[in-house]
Amino acid sequence: MTRLGNPTQPHQKIKTRWLALIALGLIASLLLTERLVPRKIAPQISEMIVAARTMQSAMSVLRAEKMQRGLMQPLDIDINQTGMIGAEFTGITTTLGELPAKRTATNPDLAALIVKLVSTLKLPAGSPVVVVISGSFVGADIATLAALEVLDLRPILIASLSASMWGANDPGFNLLDILSLLRQRGIIKTKAFAAVIGGEGAIGAGMDKAGIAALRASAERENIPLVDARPVSVMIDQLLSKVIQALPQGQNASAVINVGGALIGLGTCRESYEMPPGLLPKPVCHDGTPGLVFRLAEQGLPMLNVLNMRRLAIEYGLPFDPVPLPVPGNNMAIYGQISESSNEADARGKK
């Protein structure tokens, strides 16, 4: 008996070849489209790249300094060796902190994102912007200053000096020392015009006495006045007066930025614990003492909140706890253009 072969086998081979050719054609078409269709990049792309590279320069300086001082954290802590991550517990550590969040704040693209967000406010060059920072997020502090400086805005900086875990919590190389070094090396220009110890009551209640003494010594070396009035409401009043004194004659503050969770920034309002990151509408404090950022935003100043790094990463397209750190300019979620309609929708969603 003559055996018959499988009559469908040649047709299956032909069909498979055609499918492969079609797939290759689709891939080629997609690649060609990607090359021919221009990507919508943010109009501030140059400033964004400069701010991100400023962050990279700051890392190089801090890494070298911490290595020389024997303060550089090991790879399992400062995984990208940024020099922007501190120790777990020290004499000026105030509260618990999330290490991956601290590392996320070291991403140079955070500086680019802040440029992008602040640019939507269309502030004239030289506009004063009040900035409250804490030692908890060194990366976010530097990113904010880099962004404002590249936009030719004038930061009026108030610093809360102590830090949560993994922040600028080395008493001998604290937040003021870090900013001073970066100014000396020409990385940033801004100097704080006032500071508080931070921690409980913003006066270091319950903190190590030697740690407080080290913070006071740093402020004295930098000739930066420390405000330590009690209670917190009086301290906020005094800081607000200092802001007014620091404003150029005839100018008002144009915006206010909060970086980290310093008491002097957000206060004790219940709403402060619920605020999302990003540009926010006018805040309302129903219960508690409003901090400096609340007080200024209540007057109608635009407010940017740089906090809650996990949520910020999700909402704005930053990778959370990236290894290695991204190369500036590659993340189109950051460097792409924001449409006016999406800005309006985002603002409505955060009301």
Side-chain angles (χ1 to χ4, degrees):
M1 179 182 291
T2 303
R3 294 186 176 181
L4 297 176
N6 185 351
T8 63
Q9 190 173 10
H11 297 288
Q12 288 175 339
K13 290 181 178 179
I14 293 172
K15 185 177 180 181
T16 302
R17 288 171 184 166
W18 272 109
L19 288 173
L21 288 172
I22 291 170
L24 288 172
L26 287 171
I27 292 171
S29 177
L30 288 171
L31 291 173
L32 183 62
T33 301
E34 176 69 17
R35 291 179 65 87
L36 294 179
V37 177
R39 296 185 295 177
K40 293 183 178 180
I41 61 174
Q44 311 83 13
I45 185 70
S46 298
E47 292 87 350
M48 294 168 73
I49 294 290
V50 171
R53 288 178 177 168
T54 298
M55 280 276 285
Q56 291 178 317
S57 298
M59 287 178 205
S60 297
V61 169
L62 294 177
R63 184 188 305 117
E65 184 71 16
K66 284 195 170 185
M67 284 182 173
Q68 183 179 348
R69 292 172 177 247
L71 298 175
M72 192 69 186
Q73 296 300 310
L75 273 171
D76 61 328
I77 303 299
D78 191 356
I79 198 165
N80 291 305
Q81 295 292 275
T82 64
M84 295 181 176
I85 303 298
E88 185 173 13
F89 287 109
T90 70
I92 60 171
T93 303
T94 55
T95 56
L96 300 177
E98 184 185 12
L99 180 56
K102 303 299 177 79
R103 294 195 295 232
T104 300
T106 67
N107 185 344
D109 284 347
L110 177 59
L113 174 61
I114 295 172
V115 169
K116 186 177 182 180
L117 293 174
V118 173
S119 293
T120 65
L121 301 177
K122 296 179 170 44
L123 304 178
S127 296
V129 177
V130 179
V131 184
V132 178
I133 64 174
S134 81
S136 296
F137 287 90
V138 177
D141 295 339
I142 297 170
T144 301
L145 296 178
L148 294 178
E149 289 182 6
V150 78
L151 289 172
D152 198 21
L153 299 173
R154 178 175 176 174
I156 298 178
L157 182 64
I158 301 175
S160 181
L161 304 184
S162 50
S164 57
M165 292 163 50
W166 320 114
N169 60 357
D170 187 278
F173 192 55
N174 57 67
L175 180 60
L176 288 185
D177 300 323
I178 288 171
L179 297 179
S180 176
L181 175 65
L182 295 179
R183 286 197 310 276
Q184 292 171 20
R185 300 296 175 84
I187 307 299
I188 61 172
K189 302 174 183 176
T190 303
K191 179 179 178 179
F193 78 93
V196 301
I197 294 295
E200 186 179 343
I203 56 172
M207 279 175 52
D208 178 75
K209 291 183 179 180
I212 293 176
L215 294 178
R216 289 188 177 279
S218 292
E220 187 174 347
R221 283 196 303 272
E222 293 296 308
N223 196 26
I224 296 173
L226 274 174
V227 178
D228 54 6
R230 307 184 194 190
V232 173
S233 58
V234 175
M235 178 182 288
I236 300 302
D237 287 339
Q238 292 188 8
L239 289 172
L240 187 57
S241 296
K242 287 187 174 295
V243 167
I244 294 171
Q245 294 170 12
L247 289 170
Q249 188 172 6
Q251 283 189 281
N252 296 320
S254 299
V256 59
I257 300 178
N258 175 72
V259 185
L263 178 63
I264 58 166
L266 300 179
T268 62
C269 302
R270 174 178 54 82
E271 290 81 2
S272 69
Y273 303 103
E274 303 167 354
M275 286 196 310
L279 291 169
L280 302 177
K282 183 178 177 179
V284 177
C285 180
H286 289 113
D287 181 25
T289 301
L292 184 61
V293 173
F294 258 66
R295 293 274 296 273
L296 291 168
E298 284 173 345
Q299 298 175 13
L301 294 186
M303 173 184 174
L304 173 61
N305 189 33
V306 186
L307 186 59
N308 193 340
M309 296 307 301
R310 187 179 294 272
R311 181 170 176 179
L312 185 147
I314 292 171
E315 292 190 4
Y316 291 100
L318 280 172
F320 188 74
D321 201 10
V323 182
L325 290 174
V327 176
N330 287 345
N331 184 346
M332 285 305 293
I334 302 299
Y335 295 90
Q337 186 171 358
I338 299 178
S339 66
E340 291 296 327
S341 58
S342 66
N343 276 337
E344 293 169 1
D346 186 55
R348 286 195 301 271
K350 291 181 177 179
K351 286 182 181 178

